[in-house]
Structure formats: C-alpha cells, structure tokens
Amino acid sequence: MIHTGRHFLQIPGLTNVPDRVLRAKDHPVIDHRGPEFAELGLEVLSGIREIFQTKGHVVIYPSSGTGACEAALVNTLSPGDRVIIFETGQFSNIWLGIAKRLGLDVDYVPGNWRRGASPSDLEARLSADSRQAVKAVVAVHNETSTGAVSRIAELRRVLNRRKHPALLIVDTVSSLGSIDFQTDEWEVDVAACGSQKGLMVPPGLGFNAISEKALAANKTASMPRCYWDWQDMLKNNQTGFFPYTPATNLLFGLNEALKMMREEGLQNIFRRHARHAEATRAAVRAWGLEIVCEDPLEYSNSLTGVFTAPGHDADRLRKIVLENFDMSLGAGLGKLAGKAFRIGHLGAFNDLMLAGTLAGVEMGLRLAGIPHNEGGVMAALNSLTPAAKRTSEPATVSR
C-alpha cells in the first residue's frame, strides 16, 4: 500500500522530533574544542538541570539510555556489592542484566509486570538488612514496557525511615520531561535518562543526574570504568567541554528542545501529558479492553499499555494498523509479547495527534476482528473537550 501524509509514530519512544529541533540539529559541524562549542556546552548543561529539577551535576554521554544506566552503576559501586532491583517489566530486566554482568550481587524483587516498585517490599528487605549490606536500590520510574509508574518519593521515605545509607538509583528514560520527576526533592542519588522520549531529541544522548551522596560514593567505588567515568566528565564540563568527542549536532537539537520546554513551562508539560493519558484511558475503557497497569495510582502519563481480547494477537493488530493507516504502535515486550500493545502519548504531541492515534487504533480493532465496543475515540474527545452545559434554548445556525 502506498501511504500519503505523515507517518504516525505512536510508540513510547522514539518520539516525534519537532521541526524546530530538526532545524537546530541541521547545523554546520563546529570545532568541539572551540569557544562556540563551549558556550553551547555550558548552556545545555545548565538547561538540562531544570528538567531533572536538580541543582546538582548532570553529565551527558554520547550513548543510549542503556549506557546511562551502566554509567550509574559503575560510578557508584564495587564488584560484589549487593543491590536491590525491582522487577517491573522489560526495562528492569535490562538493569538486572547489566548488574549481573558487572558482578553485582542482585536481589531482584519479583513483580507481575502490572505494578511499579513496591515500597512495602523495600521496607521488608531493608528491615532484614541489619548490617546495611545493601549499597543501592534501583527502580524504573516509568516502566516503558507496561505503562506502570513507581512511586519514587515513597521509596525514598522508606530508606529515610530505616536510616539506610543505600543509594537510590532511578531509570527516568520514559518519564523525564513527561511525568513529574523531582531529583532533589525525592533525594534521588543517580537518575539515568536518554534523549529520545520526553526530551524530543533523536536517540544518541544519555544522561546521569548526580547527587552529592553519589559523588562521595564515586570516590570509593572500584568498578572498572573509563568511558563512563564521571570525574573526567565533570572536570571538562566546568568549561563547557567533554573528555572525548561529543555528539555536537545532537546537542544543538537538545538545546532547542530545552528552549521549547522552557517556553511551555515544565508544569504545563506535565499537565498536558496527564490530560492526554486520561483521554487515552477513557478510550480504552470505552472499547472494553483492559489497561496493563492495574493500579490507577500508578498509571503512566507517557504511554498506555493495552491488552487485546484473549485469543487475539496484539502483534497482528499492530501489523494491520501499520499496513492500513501508516501508524506504528508499541509492541508487547517480554512476558507481554503478543498479548498487549502500547500507545505512546509523550513528547511533541497535541490533541489532534491523539485523536488521530486513537482513531487508527479503533479502525485497526475493527479490521482485525478483535472484540471491542465502538466509541473509544468519542470517549477520548469527551475527555479532552467536555460538552458544554445545555441551555434551555436550542442553538440556531444562521445562513
């Protein structure tokens, strides 16, 4: 089928890159050791702190989000250190794999892939850790494979209540810039992120936001590291430079994205994402389908995971939607493969894009023969624009 118009990229990241960011990225390559780059570097390093809501250091790697996750571990821990990682979905599994390969002793707290990290489970494990052998607690803030959010502030309260010195390390890859994440307020020691989701930039940049406590741990951590070493980064960043060749043109794009986010206002961005997420969930409920996240307190505002009706292949639905409407939906990953699909509603996104996305899903459900109720799109529209109160007099239309 020949498609016209723009492709609908509605996976939970990569996200749509705004034209302003594309134009900014399309900049002549400059000397990454010259004064023009130093000015760019300092501006970007300052701006990204606002998005992390931190006064601390943020380092930027030429990497994926996975690289930033590895950097968080190798800079703060030593081989054999005990860490707690919460199983929340496919991306917590990635943390598990990295930690094991690095030789860490992992307590992987089991989960059902429908909930965020459990504060009560953390309380139980820390209460049993009388010698305070646990060196770090790792949680994914927004689990991209399921659409469930972990309550990071509550995990920090557990650590503080137990007076436990473990570092709190958090994956913010699909939440930063979409869902409120307060690095300093929640006392997050290391936050790891990538550029390709809420930050509205193509993939290729990884981030670590670093607390003073994490910097202190860095001084005694003995995990081998070179490319990921914070100290090399921080030393060079003081003057806007990097210890090795940075992704210069991606930094031009990031700088423009940060300007756009500042113009909209961070709290307005969070409200916009919450509004689109609620409208999406209204559509799913109207279709009679089941949301993957089972606790409304943990619903994601970045994406919504949706189960297809039993016996119906979610990947076939995605294929039908792509072939007929030129729209990409997120696949079910790991335990959810073939059982669920994911609707991304984050980044550079607006009401009409959401309406088109949900229309594509509803038409796809019809073509795929998946049992559902009609009216999901209308339910979303009613959520976005509640009907005005009826007046006693009917409206008239003049000709």
Side-chain angles (χ1 to χ4, degrees), residues 3-317:
H3 296 291
T4 59
R6 296 190 68 170
H7 174 70
F8 267 59
L9 181 67
Q10 298 314 137
I11 62 176
L14 317 177
T15 60
N16 298 286
V17 179
D19 288 343
R20 278 178 58 178
V21 174
L22 290 173
R23 289 195 298 269
K25 189 173 67 69
D26 186 17
H27 189 288
V29 176
I30 64 173
D31 177 9
H32 63 289
R33 298 286 179 242
E36 184 182 357
F37 182 83
E39 184 178 340
L40 171 67
L42 290 172
E43 188 172 355
V44 167
L45 289 165
S46 174
I48 194 63
R49 286 198 289 269
E50 297 176 25
I51 309 303
F52 275 102
Q53 300 188 68
T54 182
K55 295 180 180 178
H57 295 287
V58 178
V59 300
I60 305 174
Y61 298 101
S63 80
S64 66
T66 303
C69 297
E70 180 170 338
L73 298 178
V74 299
N75 275 286
T76 56
L77 300 170
S78 301
D81 278 353
R82 186 164 181 76
V83 298
I84 294 173
I85 301 177
F86 286 91
E87 181 188 12
T88 51
Q90 182 68 17
F91 291 92
S92 66
N93 277 353
I94 290 176
W95 280 92
L96 173 65
I98 296 171
K100 284 187 171 180
R101 290 187 185 193
L102 293 175
L104 296 171
D105 178 12
V106 182
D107 177 6
Y108 196 45
V109 183
N112 68 353
W113 287 46
R114 301 191 68 182
R115 300 290 299 269
S118 166
S120 61
D121 283 350
L122 179 60
E123 183 93 51
R125 277 163 167 76
L126 294 184
S127 66
D129 184 27
S130 59
R131 300 196 311 172
Q132 297 187 332
V134 173
K135 300 300 181 185
V137 174
V138 178
V140 178
H141 182 217
N142 183 78
E143 177 54 68
T144 319
S145 65
T146 68
V149 173
S150 293
R151 290 166 280 172
I152 303 301
E154 293 186 32
L155 298 180
R156 168 48 68 187
R157 284 195 284 272
V158 171
L159 283 161
N160 289 350
R161 187 164 57 248
R162 305 293 314 181
K163 294 182 171 58
H164 200 288
L167 297 169
L168 180 57
I169 299 175
V170 181
D171 179 326
T172 69
V173 172
S174 62
S175 60
L176 192 74
S178 304
I179 302 171
D180 192 13
F181 183 82
Q182 302 179 39
T183 303
D184 288 356
E185 180 67 23
W186 299 345
E187 300 175 58
V188 175
D189 294 301
V190 189
C193 190
S195 57
Q196 72 275 17
K197 297 183 187 284
L199 295 178
M200 306 181 294
V201 177
L205 297 176
F207 305 85
N208 278 170
I210 309 164
S211 74
E212 290 299 319
K213 182 178 173 182
L215 284 176
N218 177 252
K219 294 179 180 178
T220 58
S222 62
M223 197 76 74
R225 56 190 180 271
C226 176
Y227 183 86
W228 305 116
D229 197 294
W230 285 345
Q231 293 304 321
D232 292 344
M233 292 289 275
L234 294 173
K235 180 180 178 180
N236 283 269
N237 285 173
Q238 290 177 14
T239 52
F241 294 113
F242 291 74
Y244 37 70
T245 306
T248 54
N249 284 55
L250 286 177
L251 293 175
F252 278 117
L254 174 62
N255 200 35
E256 189 65 26
L258 294 173
K259 290 177 183 177
M260 292 176 65
M261 297 176 81
R262 195 175 299 117
E263 290 165 7
E264 184 175 0
L266 201 54
Q267 297 307 314
N268 290 330
I269 291 172
F270 298 150
R271 282 190 284 270
R272 169 167 59 83
H273 280 79
R275 183 168 170 270
H276 289 152
E278 183 51 46
T280 302
R281 292 189 290 266
V284 175
R285 296 186 190 101
W287 290 326
L289 300 179
E290 186 177 3
I291 297 170
V292 172
C293 179
E294 61 185 7
D295 184 351
L297 292 176
E298 297 179 342
Y299 281 158
S300 169
N301 289 339
S302 295
L303 71 129
T304 301
V306 185
F307 284 114
T308 49
H312 291 268
D313 186 355
D315 289 336
R316 177 173 173 268
L317 168 66

